[in-house]
Structures are given as structure tokens and as C-alpha cells.
Amino acid sequence: MTEGPRSVTILGATGSIGASTLDLIEREPERFRVRALTAARSVDKLADAARRTRAERAVILDPALYAELKDALSGSGVEAAAGEGAIVEAAAMGADWTMAAIVGTAGLKPVMAALEQGETVALANKEALVSAGALMTRTATEHGATLLPVDSEHNAVFQCFPHGSAERVRKVILTASGGPFRSLTREQMAGMTPAQAVKHPNWSMGAKISVDSATLMNKGLELIEAFHLFPVGADRLDVLVHPQSVVHSMVEYVDGSVLAQLGTPDMRTPIAHTLAWPDRMETPCPRLDLAAIGRLDFQAPDFDRFPALGLAMDAMREGGAAPAILNAANEIAVAAFLAGRIGFLDIALIVAKVRDSYIAIRPGSIEDVLAIDAEARVRACAFVESLAR
Ligand code: NAD
Ligand code: MG
């Protein structure tokens, strides 16, 4: 680690992951120096965090909120900026460590800009990697950037994985809590409301990923994420339902050894792992008490009740633009579900309809990915309209 405080930037500083990241760095102010914080629309939260951490710059997505942000920061010495381009610029300022915690493919350009600086990027924003995995990992390699997974499963695998000898791995096993509807029938799921879908049994997270956890699309996106992060190939990636979310994931070796990383379900543990890596740091997370938990359960995933998982697996195997299309359609469908416009089961239905409307295409650049993403959104919106109540 470099001498003196490490500079950090948080893209998506006002979200669930952003708040957990701020919590950790604010506990050790002498160790970290904040360069930029960004947010979509929460001016007060952003300005407050920027003042507390004495950030160099705070950036809000919506240009209409620039004056409000500037006002909220007056006298603080924090520079205010607004707009999509300003978020990318903030990422390109460069920091020793950047947290990519924007939700959705909206985070793609900023995360690419951060990778191009050649420093460390802690990645929570799985949709970016799902949509543009090959381009992102290539950019990281070309610029000598270090991509560290924040997603709890991938962080667990990262901790158990034999870097440089992937051929010794028989399986990478991602655990899944099964979400709030794990035991429901399809008929019961059909009537589930947004409020019920975002009530995750173990984790406290943003609305979009919470719905993804209820459909199991989250685990599907995570399979694609793992495909890009760990070079074992699609056939050696598995999902195992584990309702307690204590075993965060596992790596099975050719000799039969299975290594797992365990912990309480608190995102500050994997975030701290990436923040201190290759060292370790203290966190205030509750300690794991296995005697109190008593038992850990595991079961195979049910592809019939959770079709999103199969859709994502198909996209992973197909490659090319399929994951970007899957992700874009899902983002639109989840937003429509959260807005009360479509039912819970319509989410996977729309993703399947959008997929079936395509023939194979292959993106060659980030611009291609963004164009494919935009087109898939238009198609998904049309299906939303046809199903909307
Ligand atoms: P969230 O909704 O709580 O926060 C999202 C952040 O991104 C906010 O700061 C918001 O202002 C910003 N944002 C939203 N739309 C934007 C846009 N169009 N442009 C720029 N900024 C925008 O989400 P979250 O739960 O913190 O999740 C963030 C990412 O991390 C997601 O990709 C999610 O899948 C992933 N992730 C989250 C968790 C978790 O526990 N919350 C765990 C694993 C992975
Ligand atoms: Mg996860």
C-alpha cells in the first residue's frame, strides 16, 4: 500500500453500497482522502457526505439540481458539478481506489473511465460487467487496473480462488438466499407487490437488486459476473440455494477440497476486503456466531419457479450481446414492476420476449453495447405497455 492516505472516489455514494463504503472510510479518516462522490438525485445526502468527508468534488446526475447542490455546498470548499459527463469526469479524475456502486448500465461509462486510470476499482455495479464484461476486463488488463469484486459471492470466490491456476478448480459455487419468495408457488408470486418483493430476508439493499433477488435474476446476473471474473468457463459455474446467507460462496478443487468464505450478511465485510486488499481492516460488522445459528441449509435452485435464472444462464452461454439485452430488458421490467405497472411474473416474461425478438449480434465497443442496451430498452418498454395495467 502507498504511504499516506489513499485517495478514494465513490460512484453512487448515496445508495446502499455507497453508504456502507462511507461508513468504513469515515471510521478511519486518517487513512483515506476523498476525491469525488457522485449521486443521481439525492442532493442533501450527497452534499452532507461531501462536507463530512471533505471531498474535493461532488457530482449530481441531474443538471437541474446543480444550483441546489452548489448552494448546499457553499462555504465547504467542495466543488460542485452536474450531468452525466461530469460523473464520467469525476471517475476519470483518478483515485487510488474507486467504488463503482451506481445501479444499472448507467454505471458503465464511469466504470470504464475509472479503469482507464489504471488504479483499483472495487466493483459492485454488476450490470456494467454483465453488459460489457469482455470489454471491461480487457480495458482493466490494458491499463493495468485492478478489478476487485464487491458482490458478496464474488468477493467470497475471490478470497478462495487459486489465482493463476484456475485449471485446479472443478466448480465455482455461488450461493443464493432464494430471496423473499423462496418458498412461494408461481400462483402466490403472481400477486406479490413491490413492497413485498423488496423485503429481503437477510440483506438490506437498493430496490432494484432487491427485486432481482426475488426473481433470482440477481443470481443469474451474478453467474455472468463470475464468468467474466473467474476463468473457469460456464460449465464450471453452479448455483446453490442457501437461505441463511452465511456461506457467501465456495470453490471446489479437483482434489475434492471445497473452500468457502463465511460471514454475517453485511456488505461492509466484502467492501472492507476490497478497501484494504491485500491487507485487512477492522469493521464494525456483527461477528459470525455459528453456535447461535445452529444449522445451515442448502437446496438446489428451482428453475421452473424462477425462470429468470435459466434466462440468464442461456445468455451467459450465448455470449455476444445476449447478456446486455437480458440486463437492459430486466432493468426496464423491474422499473415497471416497482412503478406498479406490471406483475411480478411479468418481469421474466418481458425479458424472455425481448430475447426472443433478437437474432445473434456481437458488440465490438462500448458504444455498441450502449446502442444494444438502448434498443433492448425500447423493445422492453413496448412489451411493458402491452402488459401494463
Ligand atoms: P441503490 O439504488 O441503493 O444506489 C444506487 C446509487 O447509484 C445511488 O447513489 C444513486 O444516486 C446512483 N444512481 C442511480 N441511478 C443513476 C444514474 N442513472 N446515473 C448515475 N448514478 C445513479 O443501489 P445499491 O443497492 O447500492 O446497489 C448499487 C450496485 O451494487 C448495483 O449494481 C447492485 O446490483 C450492486 N450490489 C448491491 C448490493 C447491496 O447490498 N446493496 C450487493 C451486491 C451488489
Ligand atoms: Mg450478490
Side-chain angles (χ1 to χ4, degrees):
M1 216 178 283
T2 47
E3 293 295 312
R6 282 179 96 197
S7 59
V8 304
T9 281
I10 307 175
L11 306 168
T14 56
S16 163
I17 293 288
S20 294
T21 308
L22 282 165
D23 178 73
L24 291 171
I25 64 171
E26 288 189 75
R27 282 167 199 272
E28 301 194 37
E30 68 297 335
R31 211 167 150 183
F32 304 106
R33 183 170 58 81
V34 175
R35 293 217 74 190
L37 300 179
T38 81
R41 275 163 210 98
S42 327
V43 171
D44 292 345
K45 239 176 155 178
L46 176 65
D48 189 42
R51 277 181 179 274
R52 286 196 325 263
T53 59
R54 298 181 194 176
E56 279 173 52
R57 192 183 295 182
V59 188
I60 197 88
L61 172 69
D62 186 350
L65 297 170
Y66 175 71
E68 204 180 309
L69 178 65
K70 203 164 160 46
D71 218 38
L73 289 172
S74 76
S76 68
V78 184
E79 186 190 341
E84 211 184 304
I87 293 185
V88 178
E89 276 167 34
M93 277 164 75
D96 296 328
W97 186 91
T98 298
M99 166 56 80
I102 291 173
V103 58
T105 40
L108 182 52
K109 277 191 189 166
V111 80
M112 290 297 284
L115 288 170
E116 283 164 11
Q117 305 317 307
E119 303 293 345
T120 299
V121 175
L123 185 80
N125 180 202
K126 65 188 81 185
E127 297 90 350
L129 193 64
V130 166
S131 299
L135 293 163
M136 260 178 73
T137 49
R138 196 197 309 153
T139 300
T141 307
E142 279 171 9
H143 291 84
T146 306
L147 192 59
L148 297 175
V150 169
D151 215 342
S152 57
E153 297 76 3
H154 306 74
N155 185 266
V157 172
F158 184 83
Q159 294 192 46
C160 303
F161 201 81
H163 297 281
S165 49
E167 71 281 1
R168 301 279 183 269
V169 172
R170 185 181 287 153
K171 284 269 180 216
V172 166
I173 304 158
L174 301 183
T175 53
S177 69
F181 305 157
R182 180 173 55 88
S183 315
L184 299 193
T185 63
R186 299 271 299 163
E187 291 66 34
Q188 289 169 320
M189 282 184 221
M192 289 295 124
T193 64
Q196 289 167 310
V198 300
K199 246 176 103 192
H200 197 279
N202 307 338
W203 299 93
S204 153
M205 311 183 285
K208 193 262 174 182
I209 182 174
S210 297
V211 176
D212 286 346
S213 299
T215 58
L216 285 204
M217 181 59 91
N218 183 50
K219 211 49 54 182
L221 298 176
E222 290 184 353
L223 278 171
I224 302 172
E225 193 184 1
F227 179 82
H228 292 295
L229 291 171
F230 309 107
V232 296
D235 293 339
R236 287 192 282 163
L237 293 171
D238 261 359
V239 171
L240 181 65
V241 175
H242 166 44
Q244 291 93 351
S245 300
V246 166
V247 177
H248 295 315
S249 278
M250 303 180 241
V251 176
E252 181 189 331
Y253 284 73
V254 289
D255 62 4
S257 298
V258 180
L259 300 195
Q261 185 261 358
L262 284 69
T264 49
D266 187 323
M267 286 306 292
R268 289 176 299 183
T269 295
I271 295 169
H273 176 262
T274 66
L275 200 47
W277 186 86
D279 198 357
R280 298 269 177 181
M281 65 187 277
E282 292 275 343
T283 73
C285 301
R287 304 289 101 177
L288 179 62
D289 183 350
L290 286 173
I293 294 168
R295 58 180 268 186
L296 298 176
D297 299 294
F298 300 94
Q299 63 195 70
D302 184 337
F303 289 86
D304 295 329
R305 285 187 303 126
F306 297 98
L309 190 55
L311 288 168
M313 281 182 147
D314 291 348
M316 170 173 68
R317 292 211 156 82
E318 189 182 330
I325 292 164
L326 170 98
N327 177 70
N330 181 60
E331 284 192 37
I332 292 295
V334 170
F337 170 70
L338 284 170
R341 303 204 60 214
I342 58 171
F344 181 75
L345 297 180
D346 293 336
I347 299 171
L349 191 69
I350 287 171
V351 173
K353 278 175 180 288
V354 172
R355 177 195 65 178
D356 293 345
S357 75
Y358 276 91
I359 47 165
I361 31 176
R362 221 153 256 284
S365 66
I366 288 297
E367 287 66 36
D368 288 353
V369 172
L370 292 172
I372 289 161
D373 175 270
E375 169 62 23
R377 281 166 199 268
V378 170
R379 295 190 191 191
C381 284
F383 288 122
V384 167
E385 289 313 317
S386 71
L387 289 168
R389 336 184 239 243

